[in-house]
Amino acid sequence: MRRNGLWEKGVRRRHTLNIGWIGPAGQEEDVALIRRMALRILREFPQTQLVIGGDAQVYQLFDSLPESRRLLLPPVQTDDYPYQLGQVDILLVPMRDTPFNRCQSDRRLVEAGARRLPWIASPIPAFITWETGGLIADTPDEWFSHLGQLIFDPDLRSTLGQAGWRKAESREMGNLTTLWSDLINEMLPVQRRAVAGNKSHK
């Protein structure tokens, strides 16, 4: 919602390029899918830093990294979540191909778009449908090549972030309210005609 100004708050310049995962507890197995790839990237690109938000167990998957190369962000309240997203430059959203994950929504990509973050995500149906603002990776090699591409190309990061932001605007609460209002107003005459028709048959 626009009334939370943190969605539009600028980010302080930093000396690192922050690659991050932010999510709820219990997703260690999902993140484990990309652990080796992420470690390889972080070792090959010394300007990068890993940011993990919300789950200390996911953070522990990367214990082999020096503490200077990784950062743990604690869980936050919903209103502070946009600020937490702002600590990331490239968002990673890995998900295993499970019945539960195939039923997940596109919310995390919408939120990334609202914060102008480029993302790399697994090919679950909602992510493939959302599509805008990032890159879909199906194999470890694709995760590695996509992430390397985003690290090398700041213009691509910016282009994807802006595209995601434009699409995420359609999910802004004020816009959704207007859409629901228009739909209700459109349906009311239909409902009135149906009621009138039922009365005429009695």
Side-chain angles (χ1 to χ4, degrees):
M1 292 184 288
R2 286 195 184 93
R3 64 182 175 82
N4 184 346
L6 292 177
W7 287 109
E8 295 291 335
K9 186 176 178 62
V11 177
R12 289 183 181 180
R13 292 191 64 181
R14 46 185 168 243
H15 300 296
T16 57
L17 182 68
N18 289 354
I19 300 166
W21 175 92
I22 299 175
Q27 295 190 353
E28 307 96 86
E29 290 185 59
D30 290 318
V31 180
L33 288 174
I34 62 165
R35 176 182 175 276
R36 291 178 64 184
M37 176 280 304
L39 289 171
R40 181 182 167 193
I41 282 284
L42 287 154
R43 287 168 179 151
E44 291 190 13
F45 297 92
Q47 76 273 32
T48 58
Q49 181 180 42
L50 179 69
V51 175
I52 299 295
D55 190 340
Q57 290 185 329
V58 169
Y59 183 73
Q60 290 171 2
L61 290 174
F62 300 93
D63 277 350
S64 60
L65 282 175
E67 290 192 4
S68 61
R69 300 291 309 283
R70 55 193 173 109
L71 175 66
L72 175 64
L73 303 177
V76 295
Q77 299 296 320
T78 302
D79 286 347
D80 294 324
Y81 181 63
Y83 174 80
Q84 194 175 62
L85 274 178
Q87 308 312 302
V88 174
D89 298 304
I90 302 170
L91 185 68
L92 307 179
V93 194
M95 286 193 175
R96 291 166 297 146
D97 184 13
T98 66
F100 177 78
N101 283 342
R102 287 194 291 272
C103 294
Q104 294 298 299
S105 75
D106 55 17
R107 176 177 176 172
R108 290 168 77 178
L109 303 191
V110 176
E111 291 167 339
R115 204 67 174 96
R116 294 179 169 87
L117 284 180
W119 48 262
I120 304 174
S122 297
I124 70 166
F127 294 174
I128 292 171
T129 300
W130 179 257
E131 183 184 29
T132 308
L135 304 168
I136 296 292
D138 197 10
T139 66
D141 284 344
E142 286 183 355
W143 278 96
F144 184 83
S145 63
H146 288 341
L147 190 48
Q149 184 181 11
L150 289 177
I151 290 170
F152 273 122
D153 194 341
D155 290 337
L156 177 60
R157 295 198 303 271
S158 178
T159 298
L160 289 173
Q162 289 297 325
W165 177 77
R166 286 192 295 271
K167 187 166 183 179
E169 279 286 278
S170 66
R171 298 285 186 88
E172 199 278 327
M173 188 61 69
N175 293 333
L176 288 178
T177 301
T178 301
L179 289 172
W180 276 110
S181 177
D182 290 346
L183 180 61
I184 291 168
N185 289 331
E186 182 180 328
M187 294 304 295
L188 280 175
V190 175
Q191 181 66 23
R192 290 192 187 108
R193 287 197 298 270
V195 170
N198 289 336
K199 287 181 179 177
S200 66
H201 290 300
K202 290 182 179 179

